Amino acid sequence: MLLGAAGVGKSRLAAEAGTRLRRAGRGVRDCYATVAARNVPFGALAGLVPADLRGGNPLREAVELVPPGLVLTVDDAHLLDQASIALLQHLARHRDTTLLLTARTMPWDDDELVRVEIGNLTRQESDELVGDRGDRARLWARSRGNPLYLTELIRAGTLSPKLTEVINANLGALDSGQRHALELLAYGEPLDLDVFARLTTDDVVNELETRGLIAVHGANVRLSHPMYGELLRETCPTRRARAHRRALAEALPDDVVRSVIWRLDSDSLVSVDELARAAAQAWEVRDSALTERLCRAAVDRGGAVQVGPVLGSALLYGRAADEADEVLAEIMTSATDAVDLAQLGACRAFNLFFGLGDREGADEVLDAVEHPDLPDELRWRMRIMRLLWDGQCERVDVTRAHLAGYFALPDMPPWATVAGEYVHVLCDLQGGRYASGVDRLEALPPGGFDDGYIRMRALCLLNSGRIADAFAYATEVRAELEEDPRNLYAEVAVISVLSRCAQLRGDAASALELAMSATNFPGHRPIISDLIALCELVRSAALLGRADLAAEALHLAETARRPAWPISGLQVDLARPWALAAAGMIEEAGAAALATSKVAQSYDALGIEAAALHDAARFGVDTSVRLGELAADLGDPLTLAFAAHALGRARSDVAVLDDAVARFDSLGVVLHAAEALAERVRLCGNGAAEHRLITLLDGFSGVELCTLRRRPARRLTPRQLEVARLAYAGMTSREIAGQLNTSKRTVENHLYAVYTALGINGRAELGAALAT
């Protein structure tokens, strides 16, 4: 018995099993239960048993008509009539008949039936099936892993006729009360169970839950599948839909956002005050699309000044900074109250700086609206804005000095203290004091964990060398964001961190895929928070050997950076050497990395300087002295490993390189470990080091990195060529050893010699190398 919901693949699996049984010589007969034949005795088995059995014992007659030893497949067995069930049970027990049944629910209890649950795809399986054919998060949210739903959504993108048919089959026959209840949920889910019961009846709720059409989670109830809601909304007449929304709004007047939306959608009256409250709540959860909709409805009703700051923030968040400036500038001309004007001006100044990169314009707007009689909260907000700007424009030590003056101010509200700590963490990030940054974030009071917290914590963990912790944290946050994908800033940051983690593990293919998903903002101008993602795209493309894509991503990052963001712009400078290296310009890449380190040093951005110096060392520049100084100053494990790597290369010191390899290994930075190991083997190879390097390189995915390449040393021996060709054919080292009557270790030594001789990184490059 294959059990599962419609669309999970029961029938397909049973059909494949039947085909294989036929090939094995078994007699197989296929039967189909249907709604139409449900009340007809033996209706599902019409191909085996005639409908006109006239004897006094129809079951006995039917048994005699079925040859023994058959395999009977019955699709949709939950629709079987009682006579067919009795016949199948008798055949299985007394006539050596094998049953292969599919059903959504068990048609009868029988210990002899082997039950196999066929479930939906997992999220990972769903993503693998989708590939690059659509928005994986959105397709998962709509299909919830149902293979048929997912396949149809990929093909059609909408409710196709086949998909509509399947969903209707899942919903089954509905009376007017049941349909009314399901439609209410389609427009209002999730609903409080008591509220839902008041809008319908307890009997209807119980029946729908028994049929599996609704799911109760604690005190809330929702449809058991999101596609049910799509179809119910699609097929609900307009007047009935409006009535449902009005009923929901009346039942939940305290649910401000949803009540306002239901009233808007039902053409009911909504005041500007109500729209403004709803927009503010929508903005609190960073639902920029809903916030913009509510604000524009308020503007249409004369509430532009009231909702202007929230509308401007939502537009900036949606990467529409130009439109935000135009809208806010226009609204400011109609503001007559000084506080309203200051709130609008603060929002416009924030957008000018972080959206358009115009520090001068931002200062002018803020200077024009700031005055001593403003409410304290607004004045504190303006102070923190200027501190944030300093954090992007000034030397790190200068910003820290400004922070000291800020924290010396009296009567600081708690939220302003948290905001100041965020600026401290920004300085820690730029200055390479990553452990301090993590400590500051962990000391923040509960409730302060917004998108800024998420971004900075993930980056502090990553840059401090806590790669596993950074990966785990970013993965956890990303899973939460996929359930509620409105926090775009945080999502871009954590995906960027995951891309860097994949790079450091040598998984270039995954790194590029992640970076591509974080930079998917067609038609929009990138804003400051997008710079990191674009730079990860440059690095991951270079790591994969995609020089064209690396150059394209670098151009987009250069276009996105602004003079007002010199420190964030250093991320672009850090990425540039990799675009050059991917194009084969190694010397130029080293010079570019060295130049970036000097600019970073001029801003006291020691963390960025250390990363740039290490990149320069990887391209052959001796940066060991300055990196040693930074390692002694900063003391974090990753910078210490950088310094050991640079020193080992500069001195050609095997022992120091071994130390660098061990340090990188302990941090999980496999890519740098392989680079240091490759240099160590070049200087003084031994069996253990060579074996370790081969193992690392073979574990990489798509890495085409110049820092791992070795110059061809000699032509291949006949034995090496034989091993290389077998490896290229897909054989494992153990299989090659068996075929050549040698040991696996000997094969791996041969492979390392091949890689060294051909100047390649692993098996993936054997085809092209052997062809030349």
Side-chain angles (χ1 to χ4, degrees), residues 472-518:
Y473 178 69
T475 300
E476 177 187 355
V477 171
R478 189 187 186 195
E480 294 174 0
L481 293 174
E482 284 175 343
E483 293 298 320
D484 186 4
R486 294 172 293 191
N487 202 329
L488 301 178
Y489 285 2
E491 184 177 27
V492 167
V494 296
I495 294 176
S496 299
V497 168
L498 289 172
S499 176
R500 177 67 72 86
C501 290
Q503 293 169 44
L504 296 176
R505 292 195 308 267
D507 188 356
S510 296
L512 181 62
E513 182 181 358
L514 286 162
M516 293 284 283
S517 69

Side-chain angles (χ1 to χ4, degrees), residues 121-131 136 139-140 143 145 150 154:
L121 302 175
T122 65
R123 174 61 195 271
Q124 181 178 352
E125 291 166 343
S126 173
D127 287 351
E128 289 174 1
L129 180 61
V130 174
R136 288 179 295 183
L139 287 169
W140 167 258
S143 71
L150 183 59
I154 292 172

Side-chain angles (χ1 to χ4, degrees), residues 706-717:
C706 57
T707 52
L708 286 168
R709 294 193 180 279
R710 295 164 299 283
R711 292 182 180 178
R714 59 185 181 275
R715 300 178 67 85
L716 300 184
T717 67

Side-chain angles (χ1 to χ4, degrees), residues 613-614 617-618 620-625 627-628 639-664 672 675-684:
L613 288 170
H614 182 240
R618 294 163 73 190
V621 181
D622 181 2
T623 60
S624 57
V625 174
L627 259 178
T639 304
L640 289 167
F642 287 169
H645 189 190
L647 183 62
R649 285 184 59 98
R651 293 183 178 177
S652 297
D653 190 319
V654 170
V656 177
L657 285 169
D658 283 342
D659 178 54
V661 172
R663 289 178 182 274
F664 285 131
H672 294 343
E675 291 175 330
L677 193 55
E679 182 67 13
R680 187 248 191 262
V681 168
R682 185 187 68 81
L683 293 171
C684 181

Side-chain angles (χ1 to χ4, degrees), residues 8 36 141 331 347 354 405-406 421 433 469 487 529 630 681 684 741:
V8 296
I331 296 176
C347 182
F354 288 108
Y406 172 82
E421 287 297 330
R433 313 290 175 178
D469 290 341
N487 202 329
S529 60
L630 287 173
V681 168
C684 181
N741 295 317

Side-chain angles (χ1 to χ4, degrees), residues 311-366:
L311 176 57
S313 299
L315 289 171
L316 168 61
Y317 202 75
R319 299 189 177 92
D322 291 301
E323 183 181 0
D325 187 57
E326 293 174 7
V327 168
L328 289 167
E330 181 179 351
I331 296 176
M332 287 178 71
T333 63
S334 60
T336 56
D337 179 79
V339 174
D340 288 339
L341 187 63
Q343 289 175 333
L344 289 163
C347 182
R348 187 183 176 200
F350 191 90
N351 178 72
L352 281 165
F353 185 85
F354 288 108
L356 301 176
D358 183 357
R359 173 69 188 265
E360 183 179 350
D363 279 330
E364 287 178 0
V365 170
L366 211 55

Side-chain angles (χ1 to χ4, degrees), residues 267-402:
D267 294 332
S268 302
L269 291 176
V270 188
S271 70
V272 168
D273 286 344
E274 290 171 321
L275 286 164
R277 285 198 301 273
Q281 288 190 17
W283 178 238
E284 283 181 5
V285 296
R286 294 301 186 264
D287 192 333
S288 56
L290 178 58
T291 302
E292 183 180 350
R293 179 193 173 193
L294 293 168
C295 286
R296 292 197 184 279
V299 170
D300 292 341
R301 291 162 173 77
V305 172
Q306 196 167 345
V307 299
V310 176
L311 176 57
S313 299
L315 289 171
L316 168 61
Y317 202 75
R319 299 189 177 92
D322 291 301
E323 183 181 0
D325 187 57
E326 293 174 7
V327 168
L328 289 167
E330 181 179 351
I331 296 176
M332 287 178 71
T333 63
S334 60
T336 56
D337 179 79
V339 174
D340 288 339
L341 187 63
Q343 289 175 333
L344 289 163
C347 182
R348 187 183 176 200
F350 191 90
N351 178 72
L352 281 165
F353 185 85
F354 288 108
L356 301 176
D358 183 357
R359 173 69 188 265
E360 183 179 350
D363 279 330
E364 287 178 0
V365 170
L366 211 55
D367 289 342
V369 299
E370 191 174 14
H371 60 84
D373 295 331
L374 291 175
D376 287 344
E377 181 171 344
L378 188 51
R379 295 181 65 200
W380 279 106
R381 180 184 169 195
M382 292 177 174
R383 289 181 183 125
I384 200 67
M385 284 170 58
R386 294 189 189 275
L387 269 179
L388 286 169
W389 298 347
D390 288 345
Q392 291 295 331
C393 302
E394 303 289 349
R395 282 176 54 90
V396 174
D397 52 359
V398 172
T399 303
R400 289 192 189 278
H402 291 173

